[in-house]
Amino acid sequence: MTLRALPDEADGLRVLVATGELDAAVVPALLPRAASLVAGARAVALDLSGATFLDSGGVRLVDQLARACADGGAPFRVVAPRGTRPRRVLELVGMADALAVDDLGAAVTALRAAG
């Protein structure tokens, strides 16, 4: 699993890209970095399009990032295409309606409209 930040857009939009498995085995090492991953961003999109698995650890990471964004006043969206495992998990825990979008373009549009 990797989680990397793409270079910020000129308007302060930050895209975090996750690939592989976001699970209880790898997420604990990422949680302490959640706030620093979004610090200074005007808005944040977490792209889970390349995530192959999401469990409660991954949900916790999404929650931590959302909270860190809220603390910094930055809108937050999660790219989790319909029909993927990450989207289904977000639906099951009640996070999809507020956060999930189908593709990065939709996330960028929503985030720019929110700011």
Side-chain angles (χ1 to χ4, degrees):
M1 195 298 296
T2 62
L3 180 64
R4 62 186 172 86
L6 299 180
D8 286 0
E9 298 287 326
D11 62 359
L13 173 68
R14 182 169 303 154
V15 177
L16 304 175
V17 179
T19 57
E21 298 183 0
L22 281 171
D23 59 20
V26 298
V27 168
L30 297 172
L31 291 175
R33 295 180 34 218
S36 66
L37 286 168
V38 302
R42 187 200 60 77
V44 177
L46 172 61
D47 188 351
L48 297 181
S49 298
T52 57
F53 183 77
L54 185 78
D55 70 1
S56 61
V59 170
R60 187 167 177 212
L61 178 63
V62 170
D63 181 63
Q64 288 268 352
L65 291 169
R67 289 173 188 267
C69 285
D71 290 347
F76 177 71
R77 293 293 181 275
V78 178
V79 178
R82 292 183 194 279
T84 63
R85 289 179 183 166
R87 179 64 167 257
R88 182 67 181 135
V89 171
L90 293 174
E91 290 170 347
L92 288 170
V93 299
M95 297 174 88
D97 287 344
L99 298 177
V101 294
D102 291 328
D103 58 55
L104 187 56
V108 168
T109 298
L111 291 168
R112 288 190 172 139

